[in-house]
Amino acid sequence: MSVVAGTRGPLLAEARRGFAPWAGLTVLLTLGVVLAASADRWQGGWAATVAEVHRAVLIVVPAAAAAGCRQGGRERRRGTEELWGTAVRPPSALLLVSALPTALWVAAGYAVAAAAALLATWPYAQGDGPRPALLCADAFVSGAAVLLGHVVGRLVPSRLAAPLLAMAGYVGLGMTATAHEGSGRYLNPALQVLDSWVPVWWQPPVTALWAGGLAGAAVTAYAARRRWTALLPLAAAAAAGTLLAGTGAGLWHTDPMAARQVCDTSVTPAVCVNARFARALPGIREALSGVTGKLEGVRNLPVRWEDRDGGPRGDEASLPSLTPLGRSFVRGRLTDPARFAWEGARALQLRGDCPDDAFGVADDAVGNYLAPLPARRQYFDGLDAGAGPERRAELAERRAARARLTAMGERERREWLSAYFAARAACDPKGVPAL
């Protein structure tokens, strides 16, 4: 009879009651609270959700190791070590009966929390797709941490072993997760990733093999009759670790979708968003409709608002940033469309290397016409109104320019704006017609 078959009854009993279910429930509730508190910054994109749940590994793995450590010292606390030593079953079977249910429950708690986060994102996801392989590996690593902690709990006769192990794990994972140099950091399962990063297809299973090999080696070295067999999982862990550390930054590549744009060319300038947020394009176009409507017939404009890494080209303007989620963009919607439009209009004015303040009064008048923010304007006007004579004179000049641009006829204003944007593109303040 195999070890697992011979321990099936006790395994089920341990899994149904006692510490193991509580450990899994604790992981589930902890992740639930952490993810709920940060929902605004991930519940709107698959990639952001996966990255946010993956960040929780920094908390879950040390906690899992501490749970395993506590369970490993259970018989010592109960004073039943000698009684267990007289059991007929081999030490490996006894260890599995005690450790495996906790490992499975912890992994299940993480997996359920991850699945719930993905389900919560589904109604708001914009354009990319879920990639759960990384989260599956994280769940496996959490279970492996329980087994490693269990061995520590059996070896270290101290009630402080579990909290100290959790603290050491958190500090160690945290320090290597934020390190910027050294190939060893790629062995860290809690390595922080950007939303736009995608692991190569073999990275999650190799990471699982790395953690599982270490756990298997520790368990086998502690409990197996032929302890030399620990060399087998240790060799597997060494091979996986060598592959991870040797590949380094090549473990991740930029999501191809992050380099694509989806555009609405029915307006001028065209409105383009990153393909990851394709479903948000109608709402973004609507937010900018006040700007594009006022620019109808105006020449010398940028061709489009673009939304990609690397900045705009000479004939483009930057779309106000949608990321990181949770600021201007939450659950597929703009949090402040008026400010988004103001930022979009300002992006049309800022061209190339031309200084921001080169056009002074003209910039202020155009910004006020295209996308006014009354509260912002009143605040800064109020500051100038209470300042010295020079700033009050500048305020009067700005207010007069705003009024003249607004009072122009449509044809005259189109010609003026066309000349303004031509001068802006050439960074030639003298080319702006007087107001």
Side-chain angles (χ1 to χ4, degrees), residues 64-348:
C69 186
R70 182 185 183 281
Q71 185 73 344
R74 181 180 64 175
E75 306 311 325
R76 187 185 305 111
R77 292 193 304 273
R78 291 178 175 178
T80 58
E81 281 185 296
E82 293 184 5
L83 179 61
W84 273 71
T86 62
V88 177
R89 294 186 180 90
S92 57
L94 296 176
L95 189 145
L96 285 175
V97 166
S98 180
L100 197 55
T102 305
L104 293 175
W105 269 101
V106 167
Y110 182 92
V112 171
L118 291 174
L119 286 175
T121 290
W122 177 58
Y124 308 103
Q126 300 299 308
D128 55 351
R131 293 186 175 91
L134 181 63
L135 303 184
C136 293
D138 291 342
F140 186 90
V141 170
S142 301
V146 173
L147 298 180
L148 283 168
H150 193 92
V151 174
V152 173
R154 293 204 170 205
L155 292 173
V156 181
S158 173
R159 292 181 179 272
L160 295 177
L164 290 177
L165 182 61
M167 292 174 59
Y170 180 78
V171 172
L173 291 177
M175 290 179 64
T176 54
T178 56
H180 298 291
E181 297 181 356
S183 58
R185 63 196 178 106
Y186 296 105
L187 300 177
N188 185 352
L191 181 69
Q192 304 299 286
V193 300
L194 300 179
D195 295 359
S196 58
W197 289 5
V198 178
V200 295
W201 67 269
W202 51 264
Q203 190 264 359
V206 171
T207 299
L209 179 62
W210 156 247
L214 291 178
V219 169
T220 305
Y222 175 81
R225 286 179 178 154
R226 298 179 179 85
R227 295 187 177 180
W228 62 266
T229 56
L231 294 175
L232 297 177
L234 186 60
T242 300
L243 183 58
L244 292 172
T247 306
L251 293 170
W252 307 89
H253 61 84
T254 302
D255 186 351
M257 186 168 283
R260 289 177 46 227
Q261 295 188 95
V262 178
C263 300
D264 184 335
T265 58
S266 64
V267 293
T268 301
V271 181
C272 299
V273 300
N274 194 285
R276 290 190 299 155
F277 306 109
R279 285 176 53 189
L281 181 57
I284 292 172
R285 178 186 178 278
E286 178 63 26
L288 294 172
S289 61
V291 177
T292 55
K294 293 174 181 177
L295 291 175
E296 187 173 353
V298 175
R299 305 181 305 279
N300 306 315
L301 294 169
V303 175
R304 65 184 67 84
W305 279 285
E306 59 80 29
D307 183 21
R308 59 166 171 256
D309 293 336
R313 299 165 184 165
D315 58 348
E316 298 175 336
S318 292
L319 187 76
S321 180
L322 302 178
T323 56
L325 302 183
R327 295 180 182 176
S328 64
F329 192 62
V330 176
R331 297 182 183 89
R333 295 182 180 275
L334 296 171
T335 56
D336 189 346
R339 183 169 185 84
F340 187 86
W342 179 83
E343 292 176 351
R346 185 62 179 155
L348 296 178

